[in-house]
Amino acid sequence: MTDLRIEPLTGASPDGPLADWQHAHNTIVPVDSAYLSLDDVRERAGRNVMEVAYADDVLVGCSTLRPPRRDGVATVIARVLPEHRGRGFGRTLYERGLDRARALGADEIETVVLTSNTAGLRFAERAGFTAEVDRYRLDGDTVDWVELRLT
């Protein structure tokens, strides 16, 4: 695997990395309800743990960790651009998110995947996300989202 450089984001991060995270997210999650503007990304970076990943200075993906809620459930999401999948980048992003969620006190780990993202669903299943928690469709979407819990 090529060396992976991962940059953490904050609400005060420079626009370049925030725009790269935005590009990866909006490319991988191409539904209107999930489209994020740069201001949306900046706001989310202020409340979630977000990272952007590069291989040899080429954007390969991004990740989001929604910290544990009051019920102890954290959400870990790893996203890799299609042309960079199958090289271990998603596994690295996922494991970083999982480690951080546990360090923040998470009792349970969930992820959320668009059902049309078959590669993402296969990845989640291989990682142990086999318990479906919820399935829903947001206004304007034509496909469902599925929330899965790590078992």
Side-chain angles (χ1 to χ4, degrees):
M1 179 173 81
T2 304
D3 286 336
L4 192 62
R5 177 173 52 89
I6 299 174
E7 291 187 18
L9 300 181
T10 68
S13 291
D15 282 355
L18 288 168
D20 286 345
W21 190 99
Q22 175 197 29
H23 172 76
H25 174 275
N26 288 344
T27 299
I28 295 163
V29 188
V31 294
D32 289 344
S33 67
Y35 175 83
L36 298 177
S37 70
L38 197 54
D39 285 339
D40 294 331
V41 174
R42 188 174 289 107
E43 185 273 327
R44 287 180 183 212
R47 60 183 161 88
N48 295 319
V49 178
M50 295 168 46
E51 297 178 324
V52 63
Y54 303 91
D56 297 328
D57 294 325
V58 174
L59 175 66
V60 298
C62 66
S63 65
T64 301
L65 164 62
R66 296 177 190 153
R69 305 180 305 236
R70 288 187 183 140
D71 63 1
V73 177
T75 301
V76 175
I77 305 167
R79 301 175 201 87
V80 176
L81 292 164
E83 62 271 24
H84 300 288
R85 292 180 182 157
R87 299 187 214 170
F89 301 138
R91 171 68 54 190
T92 299
L93 288 169
Y94 161 69
E95 288 175 354
R96 287 173 60 93
L98 186 61
D99 289 346
R100 184 75 182 267
R102 289 180 172 148
L104 292 173
D107 297 317
E108 299 277 352
I109 308 292
E110 291 182 353
T111 195
V112 61
V113 183
L114 198 59
T115 57
S116 61
N117 181 355
T118 56
L121 289 169
R122 283 192 307 273
F123 178 87
E125 185 177 308
R126 284 192 311 270
F129 289 90
T130 57
E132 185 172 322
V133 176
D134 194 15
R135 186 176 289 251
Y136 55 91
R137 185 172 295 185
L138 297 174
D139 290 341
D141 285 353
T142 58
V143 294
D144 291 340
W145 294 89
V146 62
E147 290 181 19
L148 301 166
R149 182 159 293 167
L150 186 61
T151 54

